[in-house]
Structures are given as structure tokens and as C-alpha cells.
Amino acid sequence: MKKLQLLFFALLLSCSIVHAQKGPAKPEMTRLVNNALDRAVHQYKLMMQHVPDSVLPRTTSNTNGSLVTAKTNWWTAGFYPGTLWYLYEYSKDNTLKQEALKRTAQVEREKNNKGTHDLGFMLYCSAGNAYRITKDPKYKDILLTSARSLCTRFNPKVGCIKSWDHGQWEFPVIIDNMMNLELLTWATRASKDRSFDQVARTHANTTMKNHFRPDYSSYHVIGYDSTTGAVLARNTHQGANDTSAWSRGQAWGLYGYTMMYRETKDKAYLEQAKHIADFILGHPRMPADLIPYWDYDAPGIPNVPRDASAGAVAASALLELSRYTKGELSVRYWNAGEKMLESLAGPAYLAKEGENNNFILMHSVGSLPHNSEVDVPLTYADYYFVEALLRYKQWSK
Ligand code: GLY
């Protein structure tokens, strides 16, 4: 009898280990992912016909539901060309490539823009993907010029790139800025000039020191003294309040440190990414479908908007983080990323063909405190969603 019991427990244990392993893609997930990518291709081929040549798609108007566009100097300008490149990579559809080429060329002029920290978003998502896919050296030149422009905003005393030239702060740095560092680590690889990488690491280290609370949630904005480097203020701009956990900010941090670990292999970044992931996934107000409310501390939860963009960024990051971790932890991150994708690719978030101004995802939030872009599609939600879908396809094999 004892023997039988032991055998039973051994069997149970082996089943749970097997269950905890990340196996090949589940057939239903493969179908869902392919369906979402096919829908995305369809939507963007429709979108191409509606966006005027002089601007780029941004969102949908809260008031009349019409398409809202942006000029090339808006921080989201690179996401439309970037998504087109990803969808071309998936579909090999030449009309998407032609539109991607045209829209990447349109954003190129921002390579000399020294008035924003968002050059990574703008140029790495557009020209970065163009270079990765086409290997055309002209994109390498664009990216290196962009990286040099971005570095003009670095202050060695603070140890950070300055985010904004506006607002109440003398030297504001926002958590979002972590996302612009990949342009710099790439630039060192491409040019062998270590200074880009040095700026990226210094910025990431300073942010790790000053942006995070003991529970590894992050402030949105840190205001620095540009002469002494001292922290003068810890605030929010798009979150519920200064001490809240603004959902997209947590996702930017998670993605940023996962990416910095990939780029540098510095274990401190991996540990930081794991802590942020654990904050997000362990949060008592994380909904069951794993698509966060717009702020984890938003007053009125559960009757507040979700932010699909935060879900898409976090999904892409978690799938990658799963590859740098082992055992149960790796499975936990993979399953969470998969669950987020499953939710986003379902009817609650995925737009129907020809609807949603042809954006792919519904239900994101740009800045609720400014009553701007609340419960709407956003171009960057689409970009990180498509990236996550492609990562899932590639890594679940
Ligand atoms: N980087 C601005 C935002 O996440 O809304």
C-alpha cells in the first residue's frame, strides 16, 4: 500500500513538473495568434488607404470617433512604420513593405531632433526595423545620427538623458525613457563607439536608484537638479497620483530592464526586471485577464478603463524575460505573457475588421488625468501587440 502511495505521489509530482514546463505552442493559441496577425495585416492594409501622406496615425477622437493623426515630431510617429515592418515580416506582402518604406522615410527627418528623448521610439521602431529587415546601410546612418542627437540630452552630473524640455521640472526624467536606450546599445554595436552604451548603462543605473520604490513599483517623473544631480521631486504626469503605480510606466520599466539585460548581460538589470514583473503579476488589483487598469491605484477600480497598451508592452517583455529565467519562474513569466496575448487577441480587445479606425486593438489609455486618449486605440498598443505575437510565434516552437 505504502509503495502504491509513493508511486501515486511520484506520478503527481512528475505531472505537475511537466505541467509547469513551457511546452510547444498550444494549438488553440497558435490559431488565436495567427488569426490576430491576419486581422492586423487586414486592418493595416485598410489603414494605409485612410492616412494622409503628411501625417501618421495616432488614435481615435474621444468626441467624434474620427482618426487622430500626428506629425513626425510627435513621440508616437515611429510606431506606424514599425508595425508595418513587423507585418511585412509576417506576411511578406509587398504593399505593406512599400508603405513601410514610405513612412520610414517620412520620419527620417527627426534624426536631427535634439528637443526630445523619444528618438528611440521614433527612429528605432521605424528605421531600426527597416535596417534589421532590409540591411540597407542608409538606415544605419539614420540610426547613428539619431543616437548622437539623443546623447546631446545626457547630463553626466545627473547620470540621465533629459526627458522633457517642458513642465514644472528643471531636469525631468520619466520611466518611459528606459525604452529609448536600445537605440544607444545598438549604436555601440554598430559603430564600436562605447560612449553610446555608457550613456545607456548610466541612465539605466540612475533610474534603478531613483525611480523605484521599495516594492519595485516606479514613479513616473523624477525631477533632478541639473547642477548637483540631486533628486528634487518625485511626481506623476499621467498616473493617478504621485505615489501611484501608473500601469504603462510599470510596463515601460519591465520592458526596459529586460531589454537592458539582453543588451548588456548585466545581472542587476535582470534582477530589476524580475522584481518589476513580480510587482505587476502579484498585484492584488491585476484583473483576471491580466490586462491592467490604467493605473494599479486608480480610484474607482474595478469601474475604470483598462490600458491595453500596458498589457501589450508587458506581454512582449514577459515573453522575453521568460527566456532569461529558469524553471518555475520562467514558466510563470511565459504563461503570464501568453495569457495577456490570449486576452488581447480575443473579442474584448481585438477590433473587428474595418472597425476601430483600422487600429488593431481597442481600449487603451493615453493620459487619463488630462482627459486625453481615454479608452481608445493607440498606435503603440498595436506595435507592441504585433511584436509580442511575433515573439510568441518564434519562441513557442
Ligand atoms: N511615453 C508616453 C506615454 O507612455 O504615454
Side-chain angles (χ1 to χ4, degrees):
M1 188 61 195
K2 261 243 160 77
K3 261 191 186 160
L4 256 179
Q5 263 177 350
L6 270 176
L7 199 70
F8 176 74
F9 282 120
L11 207 69
L12 210 67
L13 190 70
S14 71
C15 280
S16 70
I17 288 169
V18 169
H19 183 72
Q21 278 168 359
K22 174 174 85 66
K26 300 171 191 133
E28 68 276 17
M29 249 331 262
T30 305
R31 260 196 308 278
L32 202 68
V33 165
N34 288 339
N35 174 62
L37 283 166
D38 292 342
R39 178 84 53 88
V41 167
H42 191 89
Q43 290 291 84
Y44 270 54
K45 287 182 77 172
L46 287 175
M47 186 182 269
M48 280 169 53
Q49 298 164 29
H50 292 100
V51 186
D53 280 351
S54 55
V55 287
L56 297 132
R58 172 176 162 180
T59 182
T60 283
S61 162
N62 267 136
T63 46
N64 62 17
S66 62
L67 176 71
V68 176
T69 58
K71 294 191 182 140
T72 58
N73 64 357
W74 183 241
W75 76 276
T76 63
F79 294 117
Y80 177 55
T83 309
L84 289 163
W85 281 117
Y86 276 145
L87 292 176
Y88 164 65
E89 202 171 16
Y90 167 70
S91 65
K92 302 289 177 286
D93 186 318
N94 194 46
T95 53
L96 289 171
K97 183 179 181 186
Q98 293 314 311
E99 178 76 351
L101 287 166
K102 185 173 104 183
R103 297 303 186 160
T104 303
Q106 186 182 354
V107 180
E108 175 185 343
R109 67 161 83 146
E110 300 305 327
K111 67 187 177 189
N112 296 311
N113 184 345
K114 300 183 179 71
T116 176
H117 71 131
D118 283 321
L119 292 181
F121 282 130
M122 294 152 85
L123 276 310
Y124 197 69
C125 297
S126 56
N129 277 309
Y131 185 55
R132 187 175 60 78
I133 291 169
T134 67
K135 308 280 182 286
D136 185 333
K138 80 174 176 215
Y139 295 118
K140 183 174 171 180
D141 294 341
I142 295 171
L143 290 164
L144 288 174
T145 304
S146 308
R148 281 190 285 272
S149 297
L150 182 55
C151 285
T152 63
R153 299 182 66 79
F154 179 72
N155 175 327
K157 196 74 207 173
V158 175
C160 276
I161 295 162
K162 187 182 182 188
S163 292
W164 297 329
D165 293 340
H166 56 82
Q168 77 221 48
W169 310 271
E170 188 210 346
F171 193 104
V173 179
I174 62 174
I175 186 69
D176 323 28
N177 209 337
M178 285 299 301
M179 299 295 287
N180 293 310
L181 305 182
E182 193 172 352
L183 171 64
L184 302 182
T185 53
W186 173 88
T188 284
R189 263 202 316 286
S191 67
K192 307 283 172 270
D193 176 348
R194 299 286 315 157
S195 67
F196 298 113
D197 184 78
Q198 215 35 58
V199 168
R201 286 175 195 249
T202 308
H203 183 103
N205 294 342
T206 307
T207 299
M208 201 150 62
K209 192 165 96 209
N210 296 326
H211 253 88
F212 289 86
R213 308 182 182 111
D215 64 0
Y216 294 97
S217 68
S218 54
Y219 294 98
H220 186 196
V221 191
I222 299 292
Y224 288 96
D225 181 319
S226 64
T227 316
T228 65
V231 172
L232 300 178
R234 296 177 176 88
N235 298 124
T236 196
H237 183 63
Q238 284 155 261
N241 60 63
D242 289 346
T243 56
S244 76
W246 173 51
S247 299
R248 197 164 51 256
Q250 312 315 303
W252 290 144
L254 172 63
Y255 191 115
Y257 283 99
T258 304
M259 173 277 293
M260 281 302 287
Y261 175 68
R262 178 217 311 142
E263 295 292 299
T264 65
K265 295 290 168 280
D266 183 333
K267 284 263 167 37
Y269 300 144
L270 178 62
E271 289 309 306
Q272 190 72 6
K274 282 158 59 181
H275 286 309
I276 302 168
D278 295 345
F279 171 80
I280 292 174
L281 298 178
H283 200 285
R285 287 184 291 282
M286 174 62 104
D289 68 359
L290 298 192
I291 306 305
Y293 300 105
W294 71 276
D295 189 303
Y296 290 92
D297 301 300
I301 286 175
N303 301 315
V304 302
R306 303 294 188 89
D307 182 9
S309 77
V313 173
S316 193
L318 284 165
L319 293 179
E320 181 169 17
L321 185 58
S322 158
R323 294 164 64 75
Y324 307 142
T325 46
K326 291 196 177 80
E328 290 287 337
L329 206 53
S330 170
V331 175
R332 181 172 188 232
Y333 297 149
W334 181 265
N335 287 350
E338 183 181 65
K339 175 71 196 167
M340 287 170 174
L341 279 190
E342 189 185 351
S343 301
L344 293 173
Y349 297 94
L350 191 71
K352 294 203 182 88
E353 276 184 21
E355 295 186 4
N356 205 35
N357 280 314
N358 305 308
F359 288 100
I360 306 161
L361 288 180
M362 308 180 282
H363 305 310
S364 290
V365 173
S367 183
L368 192 134
H370 301 95
N371 197 22
S372 169
E373 303 175 334
V374 179
D375 197 13
V376 287
L378 289 169
T379 176
Y380 44 97
D382 285 5
Y383 177 86
Y384 290 102
F385 178 52
V386 172
E387 178 183 90
L389 291 168
L390 293 179
R391 286 179 167 190
Y392 185 86
K393 259 179 99 66
Q394 192 186 346
W395 294 336
S396 60
K397 280 181 189 144

